[in-house]
Amino acid sequence: MGDRDPVVRVAAAQASPVWMDREASVDKAIALIDEASSKGAKLIAFGESWLPGFPFWIWLGNPRWGSDFFVRLHQNSVEADGKELRAIGEAAERNDIEVVLGATERDGGSLYCTQFFVSHDGSLRGRHRKLKPTHVERSIWGEGDGSDLFVLETPIGRIGGLNCWEHLQPLSKYAMYAQGEQIHIAAWPALSIYEDDAYALGVEANMAASRTYALEGQGFVLAVTSVVEDSVIEQLCSTDEQRRLLKRGGGTTTIFGPNGATIAGPLGSDEQALLIADLDFSEIRRAKQAADPAGHYARADATRLLLNRSPRTTVEHRGLPDGSQPSEPASFVSVPPESD
């Protein structure tokens, strides 16, 4: 008899951070990691830019109006080799759990919308920077590159992630499918901005994109949102129009199976909780029988994807003694090339 497929318990954390307070948000994240582990989860995932909070002001006024908020965000962002990720790593190691943390990452003077993949042994497996921030997000975040499209081999399966409307980029999705992804973290902000004005930004459209990702890639998808609390609205909204554009709530965290079906959730709009599900990997095999977009369901003779995994660098260093390039920060683990 062959090996049995594993069943893995996972947790999706629908919660509001302590908005624009990095230290308090880290403490809240660690409490959620502890709670997820106590419930038997081997992975916990957070929403987009969860730490220190999504920059909702970019949708509420002109860029100059939000400059003071940008300063706060820059001050409260995290660095790949910073103490905040070390604290998350210590919590991951103590609980023997994989952590996928959405954060605004600071690298020099620039900010990036990043998913940090923290190993159960406390090390940083890798970081995914959003390749193309959407619309006014480009006034806040820089862009990732092809090296950010990766899937990681872990003890609980092959894990990857994308942020928000990266789930509307067909080629980026295909790059992930082709790497044999089994558990996908679809990180979203609270979906309560422009809910009366822009269907494309709302719950129905974006959960449809998450469900489609599961169905296309035949993998499990943790579609994780955060929640807008009244305290965030009080800080950001001074006019009736702003209060109309940004509503409280916005949570709709849902876990989808490899056939596109909902297997857990959705959580309520204002609910702050862990959504727990047991993922039976035999369901991936069942779904692959019908369609495998990078395998038997592909037509490489007609269409193929060119994926450039080379990091984009702004400076090429020459004249170093051994001809090498400066290394990454010590805590950052570069993603290795794919292997069978």
Side-chain angles (χ1 to χ4, degrees):
M1 178 179 287
D3 293 337
R4 294 180 62 86
D5 289 300
V7 175
V8 176
R9 178 163 291 186
V10 299
Q14 178 168 297
S16 173
V18 184
W19 197 74
M20 293 301 124
D21 187 329
R22 179 178 57 197
E23 286 72 23
S25 294
V26 168
D27 289 343
K28 187 168 184 177
I30 290 172
L32 289 165
I33 292 168
D34 291 340
E35 181 184 352
S37 176
S38 73
K39 295 180 177 179
K42 291 298 181 181
L43 178 146
I44 180 172
F46 294 80
E48 182 184 42
S49 188
W50 190 87
L51 179 65
F54 189 84
F56 288 108
W57 69 84
I58 58 179
W59 298 93
L60 300 175
N62 65 57
R64 177 58 190 162
W65 171 80
S67 63
D68 288 343
F69 290 114
F70 178 85
V71 170
R72 288 177 62 188
L73 177 61
H74 201 282
Q75 291 169 335
N76 282 276
S77 297
V78 300
E79 297 179 343
D81 59 351
K83 63 181 181 179
E84 294 80 22
L85 279 181
R86 287 196 294 272
I88 296 294
E90 290 168 1
E93 183 177 22
R94 182 177 69 253
N95 287 287
D96 189 29
I97 191 171
E98 301 284 328
V99 179
V100 184
L101 179 67
T104 290
E105 176 195 2
R106 184 174 65 227
D107 187 355
S110 296
L111 301 180
Y112 299 90
C113 181
T114 297
Q115 288 173 297
F116 288 106
F117 292 76
V118 181
S119 168
H120 68 102
D121 67 9
S123 65
L124 185 57
R125 290 189 185 276
R127 67 180 174 199
H128 165 75
R129 288 176 172 173
K130 193 173 187 177
L131 268 71
K132 176 62 73 172
T134 302
H135 202 274
V136 291
E137 291 176 357
R138 293 195 278 275
S139 67
I140 299 289
W141 292 317
E143 297 180 341
D145 57 39
S147 68
D148 292 291
L149 292 172
F150 59 79
V151 172
L152 295 167
E153 189 74 55
T154 80
I156 62 170
R158 297 179 62 78
I159 300 174
L162 295 173
N163 283 297
C164 200
W165 269 19
E166 289 185 300
H167 295 90
L168 302 188
Q169 295 174 325
L171 300 184
S172 295
K173 293 195 298 179
Y174 193 80
M176 302 295 285
Y177 302 156
Q179 295 175 62
E181 190 180 29
Q182 295 170 311
I183 302 175
H184 176 79
I185 312 305
W188 300 89
L191 298 174
S192 63
I193 190 80
Y194 289 20
E195 65 178 20
D196 297 326
D197 299 87
Y199 177 85
L201 299 179
V203 167
E204 190 172 50
N206 292 304
M207 288 302 101
S210 300
R211 188 188 301 275
T212 298
Y213 192 100
L215 183 61
E216 285 184 344
Q218 296 89 46
F220 294 99
V221 171
L222 280 63
V224 195
T225 64
S226 58
V227 172
V228 172
E229 295 182 315
D230 288 336
S231 60
V232 177
I233 295 174
E234 290 168 4
Q235 292 180 70
L236 286 176
C237 300
S238 58
T239 68
D240 289 341
E241 176 67 1
Q242 289 174 330
R243 283 186 286 270
R244 187 183 71 81
L245 295 176
L246 179 63
K247 305 289 181 62
R248 64 172 291 152
T252 186
T253 296
T254 309
I255 299 176
F256 300 102
N259 62 355
T262 299
I263 60 175
L267 293 178
S269 176
D270 285 320
E271 189 175 359
Q272 299 202 43
L274 294 176
L275 183 63
I276 305 289
D278 293 323
L279 312 184
D280 181 351
F281 276 43
S282 68
E283 293 303 314
I284 296 177
R285 296 182 190 271
R286 197 182 312 277
K288 291 291 186 185
Q289 178 184 3
D292 183 2
H296 68 79
Y297 210 55
R299 281 296 304 272
D301 59 318
T303 56
R304 286 186 292 171
L305 171 67
L306 172 62
L307 173 59
N308 179 5
R309 294 285 300 278
S310 301
R312 180 180 59 194
T313 58
T314 55
V315 178
E316 180 180 338
H317 295 263
R318 298 185 179 183
L320 294 177
D322 58 358
S324 64
Q325 298 289 309
S327 61
E328 292 278 2
S331 69
F332 178 69
V333 179
S334 296
V335 178
E338 287 299 310
S339 59
D340 294 330

